Structure formats: C-alpha cells, structure tokens
Amino acid sequence: MRFENDTVFITGAGSGIGRATAVSVAEEGGFVVATDINEDGGKQTVDAVEEAGGEAVFHELDVTDAEEFEAVVDTAVEEYGLDALVNNAGVGHPPAYTEDVTDTMFDYVMDVNLRGVWYGCQAALPHFKEQEAGAIVNVGSLASFLGLPKQAVYSLTKGAVLNLTRAVAAEAGSKGVRANAVCPGFIETPLGNQYFDSKDDPEAAKQQAAQQYPLKRLGEPEEVADAISFLLSDEASFVTGHGLVVDGGFSVS
Ligand code: NAI
C-alpha cells in the first residue's frame, strides 16, 4: 500500500478531482484530511472514502484565508500527523476577453487558484522541513503551459502555480520535501462541465471537444487522481519540480 500510516491533506476535496484523489489515497491505505468550503460536498467525500474501505475526516477550509489555512494544517499535524498536501481547490471563470475582465473576477480567480496554493505551501512547509519529509502536489492545468483564449486570468494563475511548484521544489528539496504539479486537460467534473454548460448544445460541444484529443474522449477525475497519487508516493521519490501533463495527448497533437 502506497500510503500506509500516511496522512494526506487535500483542498477542494468536496468534488471532482479532489474527491477522486481522496478515494485513491484511501484505497492505498492513506488517512485523508478532506477540506473544502462546501461542507456537504466534503462530507460526501468522507462517505465515499469510507465506502471504499478507507478513513477520512472533513474540515471546512477556505483556501483564500491564510490564518484559517494555517490553523487547519496545524490541527492536522497535531491530531493525525501530516505527510502530504494536495493543493487542488480551484475555480474557473466565464469566457472573457482580457480587456473585459473585471477586477472582481480577476481577484476571485487569483485568490483561489494562486493565493490558495501559496497559503497551502506556506502552512505546510515548516512542518515538512522540520520532519525532513513531505510531498506537495499542486493542481495546475494545461493552461499552465498554454495561453487559452478568453481564459487569461485562469491561464495566468495556472502558469504561476507551475512555477511556484518549481521554486518550492528547488528551495525545499534539501530538507526532504518534494513538490510537483499535475496539469490536466478537460476533465468531467462540475468545473470542467461549466465550460460546456454555457454552449447551446452542451453534449454536442463536449463530443466535438473530445475529437480534439488523440484518445477521442475527455478525462475522468480518477485518471488525474491516479497521477496525483503517483507523485505523492515513494514511487516518485526522485521526481520533484515536475509538471505532469494528464491530457489524453491534447497538447502534443
Ligand atoms: P470542482 O468544481 O469539481 O471542484 C473544486 C472544489 O474546490 C469544489 O469542491 C469547491 O467547493 C472547492 N473550492 C472552490 N473554492 C474554494 C475555496 N476558496 N476554498 C476551498 N475550496 C474551494 O473542480 P475540479 O474540476 O475537480 O477542479 C479541481 C482542480 O483541477 C482545480 O484546481 C481546477 O482548476 C483543476 N483543473 C480542472 C480541470 C477540469 O477540466 N475539470 C482541468 C484542469 C485543471
């Protein structure tokens, strides 16, 4: 079992990729600290973990609140120990040309997607350095590498998340800490589907998008979760500062 006696802390665990990661980690013997702003979603994740035969607790956490983040991480350290952190919480925004993006939209996406990851690293790194062990996986996107049209704010946050990951890896490696990112293409989650829901015929738009992928389909949250689990695990013990693309080949075709 990859995560026997390990505690893995996951943000945005109440849905999509975060929930699938919680289940994947638990199936490999890990104890999951599932956090989210959405209490119902978080509790459903705990249920899903338990149904899979694992163990998890839920803590409400808004990743844009640095003090709250630090407090929940400290609680996790005291009560369960802390071996790994997945900075997964993220939001999208409606398609908008750069010049039409309001400050409100800019601040919201920056706060969740970038500050949230930043605060997570700040909260966990002192513990990981002290125990001279720890693994961080930040959830980027294909937009970490590509500039997506009408998605400038999302793209800038995800590009920054990848470079933050590299900086943390470079800085904390000598203390036994690894930091990596996963960079998914379109994944069938509430966030991923938001894009298609704005189209006249969401199902047709989805089928059309799938044809742009060499694998001729969109991704499933479990496929990203598996990549996250690999990067968290000892099987990736010499992998750090890496952005692992999980996109069904979209970016190479
Ligand atoms: P989702 O919408 O299913 O789940 C996101 C979770 O984050 C939700 O449970 C939500 O309540 C939580 N969240 C939102 N704001 C929060 C905050 N301030 N504090 C704490 N939790 C908060 O989305 P999905 O698709 O599972 O996304 C997870 C990550 O994957 C995000 O970082 C997203 O940008 C990234 N991603 C998703 C892709 C997709 O196509 N679904 C593609 C590439 C990256």
Side-chain angles (χ1 to χ4, degrees):
M1 294 265 232
R2 274 173 168 165
F3 302 117
E4 209 159 11
N5 300 320
D6 284 352
T7 298
V8 179
F9 188 114
I10 304 171
T11 69
S15 176
I17 293 168
R19 177 175 297 161
T21 303
V23 172
S24 168
V25 162
E27 282 174 346
E28 290 288 341
F31 179 77
V32 176
V33 181
T35 70
D36 204 290
I37 39 167
N38 176 352
E39 190 178 352
D40 286 347
K43 287 184 173 166
Q44 285 168 28
T45 295
V46 172
D47 291 345
V49 164
E50 287 173 356
E51 273 165 34
E55 276 186 277
V57 287
F58 172 70
H59 285 266
E60 198 167 328
L61 169 63
D62 179 344
V63 296
T64 68
D65 184 331
E67 277 180 25
E68 191 177 287
F69 212 142
E70 200 181 326
V72 179
V73 164
D74 287 351
T75 301
V77 169
E78 278 164 30
E79 293 189 13
Y80 328 107
L82 185 65
D83 301 286
L85 167 68
V86 183
N87 282 311
N88 162 76
V91 291
H93 59 79
Y97 286 113
T98 300
E99 61 272 29
D100 295 332
V101 171
T102 62
D103 279 1
T104 308
M105 188 195 284
F106 183 91
D107 288 344
Y108 172 60
V109 180
M110 286 287 282
D111 275 353
V112 181
N113 291 7
L114 186 50
R115 268 183 202 276
V117 175
W118 176 257
Y119 290 150
C121 293
Q122 284 194 314
L125 278 168
H127 302 291
F128 289 164
K129 285 184 174 175
E130 196 187 330
Q131 68 196 18
E132 300 203 349
I136 297 174
V137 172
N138 297 325
V139 180
S141 163
L142 261 191
S144 298
F145 298 97
L146 308 176
L148 303 182
K150 296 191 184 177
Q151 291 291 329
V153 190
Y154 188 78
S155 300
L156 90 82
T157 60
K158 293 300 186 177
V161 162
L162 179 56
N163 232 20
L164 167 60
T165 306
R166 292 170 173 146
V168 169
E171 170 184 299
S174 64
K175 293 286 182 189
V177 182
R178 294 183 303 105
N180 289 289
V182 289
C183 301
F186 258 120
I187 307 298
E188 301 245 23
T189 68
L191 187 151
N193 287 331
Q194 248 175 39
Y195 172 79
F196 298 109
D197 291 344
S198 66
K199 305 280 176 191
D200 291 340
D201 185 346
E203 205 40 51
K206 212 186 265 189
Q207 305 265 330
Q208 205 180 353
Q211 292 314 305
Q212 294 172 26
Y213 285 71
L215 296 182
K216 302 297 173 202
R217 63 178 178 83
L218 306 180
E220 298 295 333
E222 291 73 18
E223 294 177 295
V224 182
D226 286 344
I228 294 172
S229 287
F230 164 70
L231 289 171
L232 292 175
S233 76
D234 286 346
E235 287 157 69
S237 53
F238 204 52
V239 182
T240 194
H242 183 62
L244 179 56
V245 174
V246 184
D247 73 342
F250 179 89
S251 56
V252 296
S253 62

